[in-house]
Amino acid sequence: MIENEKLLKINTVKDRLKGDTLIAAHHYQNPEIVKCADLVGDSYKLAHLISKSSARNIILCGVNFMAESAAILAREDQKIFIPDSDALCPMAEMADIKVVEKVYEMLRSRYNIDLVPVVYVNSYIDLKNFVGREGGSTCTSSNAKIILQYYLKKNKKILFLPDYFLGANTANAIKDVNARKIIENGEIEDFDNDYVKEINIFLWDGFCPIHQQFTLNDILVLRKNYPEIKVIVHPESKEEVVNNSDYYGSTEYIYDMIKKSKKGSVWGVGTEGTFVQRLALENPDKKVIPLKDARCFNMAKINLDKLLDTLQAISDNKAEKYQVKVENNLKINASKALNKMIEIVESSRI
Ligand code: SF4
């Protein structure tokens, strides 16, 4: 089946489901998936809007922690589906709950500190459950600064995980904050008390293999070739990349900045390649150049065939294998952590 036929078929099956099915796609999805999505956004936008949707069936086109987050926030009458449950995020695999709990307890008992965990949404339900249980919050790249400042103002020390770079780059943007990597290969380094007392944010050692590909040299080459260029990058990038960019922020921020920019402006963009390619297509009056063509292969696992199969299975009432279910005993605290983020962000807007 060629692309147009598939799109037609997808719309036909969707119409049959009478508006009761919502297709939500992350910005890094393939353009043809974005074309059939009712909702397109970054992790925060998707989590927030899905939780407000009246649709009973939600198909999440993204990686599995996103579908899991949607399932945590879903109402009793809502079902969450993912077209390919093998679409994983390697970063989410980098913080094992047993190691996290061990390190958290060790930090608290060894140094007697008032510690709260903050977890990037790129993580699994067991971690979010732990964070909710301990009075912490999730965060996304669009709100990490607001969330960290919320706890810092309460004089808490923070265990930030799993992404070292989002934590470090965000801490760099907050005045007088000392953030340190404390764990390497599952082992906590042996610090003395005075050293630990000076630390505000303890950083895990996770990273995104896609955003790690951008280098300072990528920026220098683009600046040499296009002196008027503005460089914008995602905060999962290395610190030297973020520090040498003109702007940095979440995927939604990057999308909006380029969309609102002046005709004829030139952008060097350091984030996922499929998304940058779409940015270039959607902004033909500007020049949009990737720092490097770095693609997330897991995001790309979702395609039109799998989306069509999922829709068809929902329509036939045989979609069990696509449905994302979460354990009830983990859901309560995990939703606390996600809702805490929404509450902190929304109250910061008042
Ligand atoms: Fe995970 Fe990086 Fe892919 Fe995002 S781009 S889903 S953080 S591997």
Side-chain angles (χ1 to χ4, degrees):
M1 236 192 290
I2 56 167
E3 190 182 313
N4 279 347
E5 282 178 47
K6 288 178 193 170
L7 289 171
L8 206 67
K9 195 98 200 281
I10 284 171
N11 284 330
T12 310
V13 183
K14 225 177 123 197
D15 287 349
R16 210 185 299 148
L17 291 162
K18 296 190 180 71
D20 211 14
T21 299
L22 179 97
I23 301 174
H26 188 270
H27 272 308
Y28 297 171
Q29 286 294 293
N30 291 318
E32 62 273 17
I33 295 287
V34 170
K35 244 188 242 171
C36 28
D38 303 294
L39 197 64
V40 183
D42 65 2
S43 306
Y44 181 73
K45 190 169 167 188
L46 293 182
H48 191 46
L49 294 181
I50 287 173
S51 69
K52 292 189 176 311
S53 167
S54 59
R56 284 190 305 137
N57 301 312
I58 291 160
I59 304 178
L60 201 300
C61 298
V63 289
N64 61 359
F65 77 79
M66 295 174 179
E68 201 185 65
S69 293
I72 294 168
L73 292 171
R75 294 187 312 268
E76 286 284 300
D77 63 330
Q78 282 180 317
K79 287 181 183 164
I80 309 293
F81 303 92
I82 187 165
D84 186 341
S85 57
D86 282 339
L88 310 169
C89 168
M91 184 201 285
E93 313 274 328
M94 293 178 190
D96 177 84
I97 184 63
K98 287 200 174 73
V99 184
V100 171
E101 283 179 328
K102 187 184 89 185
V103 167
Y104 182 73
E105 277 318 315
M106 207 183 280
L107 277 171
R108 289 205 319 172
S109 56
R110 197 189 285 173
Y111 300 106
N112 191 25
I113 51 177
D114 190 5
L115 191 64
V116 67
V118 171
V119 69
Y120 191 20
V121 285
N122 297 31
S123 55
Y124 293 123
I125 189 168
D126 51 3
L127 215 55
K128 293 185 176 100
N129 164 60
F130 155 77
V131 169
R133 193 183 70 211
E134 296 300 322
S137 169
T138 59
C139 76
T140 67
S141 53
S142 61
N143 60 39
K145 189 174 173 190
I146 297 170
I147 304 290
L148 291 184
Q149 282 176 318
Y150 172 86
Y151 288 109
L152 290 169
K153 273 188 198 141
K154 292 180 180 296
N155 287 323
K156 300 269 190 191
K157 290 189 186 287
I158 296 165
L159 174 62
F160 186 87
L161 58 166
D163 187 17
Y164 165 80
F165 293 96
L166 177 64
N169 286 317
T170 309
N172 289 343
I174 305 173
K175 217 171 155 235
D176 297 330
V177 166
N178 184 4
R180 292 289 155 99
K181 195 193 282 189
I182 48 115
I183 178 152
E184 206 85 58
N185 301 323
E187 288 301 322
I188 182 168
E189 288 177 44
D190 205 9
F191 303 116
D192 65 44
N193 266 331
D194 289 345
Y195 181 80
V196 170
K197 281 211 166 61
E198 296 302 313
I199 299 175
N200 305 102
I201 304 173
F202 299 92
L203 301 168
W204 207 253
D205 63 348
F207 61 92
C208 163
I210 312 308
H211 288 90
Q212 286 315 286
Q213 294 174 39
F214 307 121
T215 63
L216 175 56
N217 193 49
D218 296 334
I219 296 181
L220 297 178
V221 169
L222 281 184
R223 289 208 195 277
K224 191 165 170 236
N225 292 338
Y226 303 92
E228 74 279 37
I229 203 165
K230 294 288 177 211
V231 174
I232 187 164
V233 302
H234 193 281
E236 286 170 18
S237 308
K238 291 173 186 153
E239 284 168 276
E240 60 175 11
V241 169
V242 169
N243 293 342
N244 285 283
S245 64
D246 297 293
Y247 307 97
Y248 74 92
S250 67
T251 309
E252 205 64 44
Y253 172 83
I254 295 173
Y255 185 83
D256 288 343
M257 278 291 280
I258 295 179
K259 203 171 163 195
K260 286 181 197 151
S261 66
K262 274 198 310 215
K263 201 173 162 181
S265 50
V266 183
W267 290 94
V269 188
T271 191
E272 202 275 336
T274 310
F275 172 62
V276 183
Q277 191 179 33
R278 183 160 59 84
L279 272 176
L281 285 172
E282 288 185 12
N283 293 277
D285 55 340
K286 296 144 203 169
K287 196 167 184 59
V288 178
I289 312 162
L291 289 196
K292 195 172 259 151
D293 190 10
R295 307 266 169 154
C296 179
F297 299 111
N298 279 288
M299 284 281 184
K301 284 180 181 168
I302 311 292
N303 58 33
L304 286 183
D305 290 321
K306 292 175 189 172
L307 177 57
L308 180 55
D309 287 349
T310 312
L311 271 166
Q312 192 62 58
I314 293 171
S315 168
D316 297 343
N317 234 341
K318 288 181 181 157
E320 186 81 1
K321 76 167 182 168
Y322 300 104
Q323 194 178 344
V324 180
K325 291 184 180 163
V326 290
E327 283 179 46
N328 257 337
N329 61 329
L330 300 178
K331 188 174 168 171
I332 297 168
N333 282 322
S335 67
K336 252 191 219 168
L338 282 162
N339 282 318
K340 184 76 186 169
M341 166 181 76
I342 294 171
E343 177 201 312
I344 296 170
V345 173
E346 296 307 312
S347 61
S348 76
R349 292 199 172 121
I350 297 166

